[in-house]
């Protein structure tokens, strides 16, 4: 008996050390009833009407840094070019941020430097989100290969600096699950209960800054990560109830789940983009058909909860894709065309809902008058 009592403090102490060493919260169940059905790509769509003519606030776009090629700087779009095409598109305000994989781009220059330049050039129009280039790929590598606590400290220090400055509107686009959808994307995979991720989110929540998060709940082969992604969402909100979260690309799940997410988490917002090439968005619930019309269920959800969605074109300034290289190796921007399509889509919604989604929500959450 005496022996047992003698051991109790050791057992308790041992337990404390153990839980600290693991220090991983188990993933809770998603905080809502998950609907795992995939929507029919041939379901009814909303007809186009007159295009929306009002202001546009694009809350999610990217600027890739120029690359070095054989000692030469390859800059396909300068800051001046980008501002010109934003103006030409008739966009009133835009948030530029690093793509989740920017930390992996070999041969690239410091992206933050170029986005700063763009901010100066587009004062009053361009704002930026920060951080992903030193957070996302670091988290992936740290999860798979291990990390030193001094490395995490360095990331947190940089993040605090960004959060403390006046330039960063928020943090993003942070990737959590980001699969190879196009055949040439780097994969990002780590679970949302990975403690360094939670610490990073904690810093962001503590500063009441917005976090733009890209989390794919399905991989292209059809493997489900839904319980991980949405359990992760529950974990984030358990830990940081005031977290200001923007789920990128309508959370890449069906309207039933999106409705439940928005009802469960009043601080969550979503941005959206039309997806015409469904083969590059497999199992991720595109909100438009291949002709770029809203599916009826999405249009109805946008009208039911118009205060929760924002435009997020996902434009990649500074990146060349097939067919957009013009004279002198400069990019011919497709951004104005993308915005015309966005205006067509917004015009197919109830006009009051369209206004909230086009710019009023973004003005409200980023307190712009
Ligand atoms: Zn994204």
């Amino acid at each position: 008996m005496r022996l047992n009592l003698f051991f109790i403090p050791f057992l308790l102490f041992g337990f404390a050390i153990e839980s600290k060493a693991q220090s991983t919260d188990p993933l809770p169940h998603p905080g809502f009833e998950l609907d795992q059905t995939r929507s029919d790509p041939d379901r009814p769509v909303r007809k186009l009407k007159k295009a929306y003519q009002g202001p546009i606030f694009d809350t999610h776009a990217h600027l890739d840094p120029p690359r070095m090629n054989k000692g030469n700087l390859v800059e396909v779009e300068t800051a001046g070019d980008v501002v010109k095409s934003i103006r030409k598109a008739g966009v009133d305000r835009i948030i530029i941020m690093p793509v989740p994989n920017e930390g992996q781009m070999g041969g690239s220059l410091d992206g933050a430097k170029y986005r700063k330049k763009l901010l100066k050039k587009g004062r009053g129009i361009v704002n930026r989100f920060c951080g992903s280039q030193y957070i996302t790929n670091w988290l992936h590598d740290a999860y798979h290969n291990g990390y030193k606590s001094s490395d995490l400290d360095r990331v947190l220090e940089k993040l605090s600096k960004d959060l403390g400055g006046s330039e960063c509107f928020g943090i993003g686009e942070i990737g959590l699950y980001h699969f190879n959808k196009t055949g040439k994307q780097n994969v990002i995979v780590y679970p949302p209960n990975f403690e360094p991720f939670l610490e990073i989110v904690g810093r962001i929540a503590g500063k009441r800054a917005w976090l733009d998060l890209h989390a794919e709940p399905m991989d292209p082969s059809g493997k489900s990560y839904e319980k991980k992604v949405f359990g992760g969402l529950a974990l984030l909100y358990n830990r940081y109830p005031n977290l200001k979260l923007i789920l990128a690309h309508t959370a890449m799940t069906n309207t039933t789940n999106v409705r439940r997410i928005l009802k469960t988490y009043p601080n969550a917002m979503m941005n959206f983009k039309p997806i015409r090439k469904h083969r590059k968005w497999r199992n991720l619930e595109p909100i438009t058909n291949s002709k770029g019309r809203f599916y009826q269920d999405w249009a109805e959800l946008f009208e039911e909860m118009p205060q929760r969605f924002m435009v997020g074109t996902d434009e990649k300034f500074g990146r060349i894709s097939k067919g957009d290289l013009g004279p002198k190796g400069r990019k011919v921007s497709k951004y104005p065309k993308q915005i015309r399509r966005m205006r067509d889509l917004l015009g197919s919604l109830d006009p009051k809902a369209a206004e909230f989604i086009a710019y009023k929500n973004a003005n409200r959450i980023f307190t712009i008058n």
Side-chain angles (χ1 to χ4, degrees):
M1 184 67 192
R2 278 183 67 190
L3 201 67
N4 283 349
L5 277 175
F6 177 77
F7 271 110
I8 283 173
F10 284 93
L11 287 170
L12 288 175
F13 186 63
F15 178 76
I17 293 281
E18 171 121 323
S19 58
K20 190 162 191 288
Q22 285 177 353
S23 76
T24 305
D25 283 9
L27 275 177
H29 292 290
F32 58 92
E33 196 194 328
L34 190 60
D35 173 9
Q36 294 186 281
T37 51
R38 308 273 92 81
S39 305
D40 174 8
D42 296 319
R43 67 198 188 277
V45 292
R46 181 67 68 89
K47 279 202 183 84
L48 294 187
K49 289 183 265 181
K50 192 174 173 285
Y52 166 82
Q53 302 291 336
I56 296 239
F57 189 147
D58 184 356
T59 65
H60 184 113
H62 305 285
L63 172 68
D64 284 357
R67 288 168 302 114
M68 291 302 286
N69 190 9
K70 293 174 193 156
N72 296 317
L73 187 71
V74 185
E75 189 173 23
V76 293
E77 267 183 308
T78 65
D81 296 334
V82 174
V83 172
K84 227 189 258 170
S85 79
I86 295 167
R87 286 188 200 280
K88 194 173 164 204
V91 165
D92 299 84
R93 202 175 271 271
I94 188 168
I95 298 177
I96 300 283
M97 59 189 80
V99 291
N101 263 320
E102 186 171 299
Q104 288 268 29
M105 287 180 179
S108 282
L109 302 181
D110 175 12
K113 187 177 129 189
Y114 285 87
R115 285 183 290 274
K116 266 178 184 232
K117 230 184 191 179
L118 182 59
L119 219 62
K120 243 190 210 161
K121 197 89 186 167
R123 207 179 287 282
I125 300 177
V126 181
N127 293 94
R128 72 184 184 107
F129 268 30
C130 306
S132 187
Q133 75 276 16
Y134 61 81
I135 293 174
T136 299
N137 298 119
W138 182 81
L139 279 170
H140 173 90
D141 292 343
Y143 178 73
H144 294 277
N145 308 328
Y147 66 97
K148 285 194 226 126
S149 65
S150 58
D151 296 337
L152 174 60
D153 290 344
R154 251 195 305 278
V155 171
L156 290 171
E157 217 171 278
K158 260 186 163 175
L159 176 63
S160 293
K161 213 172 141 203
D162 274 346
L163 287 167
S166 59
E167 242 187 37
C168 298
F169 243 43
I171 301 298
E173 179 186 5
I174 303 296
L176 177 64
Y177 291 105
H178 192 282
F179 300 107
N180 184 359
K181 301 175 287 302
T182 62
K184 46 187 181 183
Q185 285 169 303
N186 285 309
V187 170
I188 298 161
V189 176
Y190 58 88
N193 58 350
F194 182 41
E195 192 57 33
F197 171 69
L198 293 170
E199 276 193 48
I200 286 167
V201 177
R203 291 284 169 108
I204 301 166
K207 278 283 182 184
R208 306 287 292 127
W210 284 96
L211 164 64
D212 187 302
L213 185 69
H214 175 122
E216 292 167 23
M218 296 288 295
D219 82 3
S221 74
K223 183 175 171 196
S224 168
Y225 288 77
E226 290 156 297
K227 286 191 177 143
K228 289 192 167 114
V229 167
F230 300 122
L233 195 58
L235 176 59
L236 291 183
Y237 275 111
N238 286 346
R239 275 218 191 178
Y240 316 115
N242 296 324
L243 174 65
K244 295 178 6 175
L245 186 63
I246 301 168
L247 290 165
H249 329 308
T250 40
M252 296 168 276
T253 187
N254 60 41
T255 48
T256 305
N257 290 332
V258 168
R259 182 179 284 104
R260 288 173 185 166
I261 290 169
L262 293 176
K263 283 192 175 154
T264 310
Y265 306 112
N267 288 334
M269 298 288 291
M270 294 192 186
N271 61 46
F272 76 95
K273 62 171 178 175
I275 302 283
R276 296 158 70 97
K277 290 180 184 158
H278 287 195
R279 71 189 143 78
K280 291 187 176 174
W281 209 253
R282 268 168 289 159
N283 304 311
L284 295 178
E285 297 288 338
I287 62 168
T288 63
N289 72 354
S290 57
K291 290 191 174 127
R293 310 276 190 276
F294 274 136
Y295 287 117
Q296 189 62 23
D297 57 334
W298 279 103
E300 281 166 11
L301 180 58
F302 278 27
E303 288 165 345
E304 184 187 320
M305 308 177 100
Q307 305 214 343
R308 310 299 292 282
F309 297 96
M310 302 182 289
V311 169
T313 59
D314 207 18
E315 173 72 10
K316 272 96 177 170
F317 291 108
R319 186 183 301 181
I320 288 286
S321 50
K322 238 195 241 160
D324 52 13
L325 204 59
K328 294 181 196 162
R330 299 292 267 282
K331 181 174 169 174
V332 179
S333 178
K334 287 182 181 153
Y335 189 59
K337 189 171 165 193
Q338 249 212 88
I339 292 296
R340 276 203 301 281
R341 285 177 173 164
M342 187 59 87
R343 287 183 181 282
D344 284 343
L345 268 178
L346 288 166
S348 70
L349 299 174
D350 162 73
K352 280 231 156 59
E355 278 192 335
F356 278 113
I357 295 164
Y359 73 101
K360 283 186 173 168
N361 293 337
N363 278 359
R364 182 185 77 240
I365 73 166
F366 299 117
T367 52
I368 288 167
N369 300 313

